[in-house]
Amino acid sequence: MNSILNYNRPTITFTNLIDDFVNNNFFSCSSNVKPNCISPNVNIAENDSDYKIYVEVPGFEKEEININTNEDTLIITGNKKKDEKESGKYLVREIGNKNFKREFYLPKNADKSKIEANLKNGILELTVTKKE
């Protein structure tokens, strides 16, 4: 999990792979290596009144994205279902089911009851208001 203020992208190592496999996370989206599980890029900014989180989610519709909070954690998940338009036999199929899960610790001054989201042109913009 990443802090909204101290963000580091997870690194995939052999140890991570073994840990995920042993702890039954290997086939979950929280794993570092699930074939259909992507890790969208994010930008995080702060100003005087709020935090802004920008998440790259090209091809996802609003209905395919969930935003939740759990105590001091912001959880963003997406589940893209494959396009059922079949016109012949596929030789290569890389477009289809994609899932993601990103988690961020919220700072103590973040008001988790005041989170707004907007999806436009493949960018999910979250505004997390700071407490007064």
Side-chain angles (χ1 to χ4, degrees):
M1 204 167 335
N2 303 300
S3 167
I4 197 169
L5 299 178
N6 268 334
Y7 170 73
N8 289 315
R9 187 174 199 102
T11 303
I12 298 173
T13 65
F14 184 71
T15 305
N16 293 131
L17 295 174
I18 298 302
D19 287 345
D20 282 347
F21 187 76
V22 170
N23 294 319
N24 289 328
N25 289 333
F26 192 73
F27 297 104
S28 73
C29 207
S30 61
S31 167
N32 288 320
V33 291
K34 185 170 182 209
N36 291 336
C37 194
I38 60 174
S39 182
N41 295 321
V42 300
N43 287 343
I44 301 173
E46 176 184 12
N47 61 44
D48 292 338
S49 61
D50 55 39
Y51 298 97
K52 298 276 189 184
I53 303 170
Y54 303 93
V55 185
E56 275 187 329
V57 289
F60 280 83
E61 301 293 330
K62 181 171 54 171
E63 299 78 25
E64 298 170 325
I65 299 172
N66 292 303
I67 302 161
N68 296 298
T69 57
N70 183 5
E71 295 180 21
D72 62 349
T73 305
L74 174 66
I75 304 163
I76 308 167
T77 57
N79 183 5
K80 179 153 188 62
K81 295 162 183 57
K82 72 178 176 182
D83 188 2
E84 295 299 329
K85 297 176 193 167
E86 303 265 344
S87 59
K89 179 181 170 187
Y90 284 98
L91 302 176
V92 176
R93 185 162 188 162
E94 296 179 343
I95 300 171
N97 291 346
K98 295 290 181 195
N99 302 301
F100 71 86
K101 180 177 182 181
R102 296 298 303 263
E103 296 183 0
F104 303 92
Y105 284 117
L106 292 171
K108 291 183 188 213
N109 68 339
D111 188 347
K112 68 179 183 179
S113 67
K114 293 185 180 176
I115 298 175
E116 296 178 13
N118 184 33
L119 178 62
K120 185 176 180 183
N121 297 328
I123 303 292
L124 175 64
E125 178 183 338
L126 297 169
T127 302
V128 182
T129 304
K130 291 181 180 179
K131 294 178 185 175
E132 306 257 340

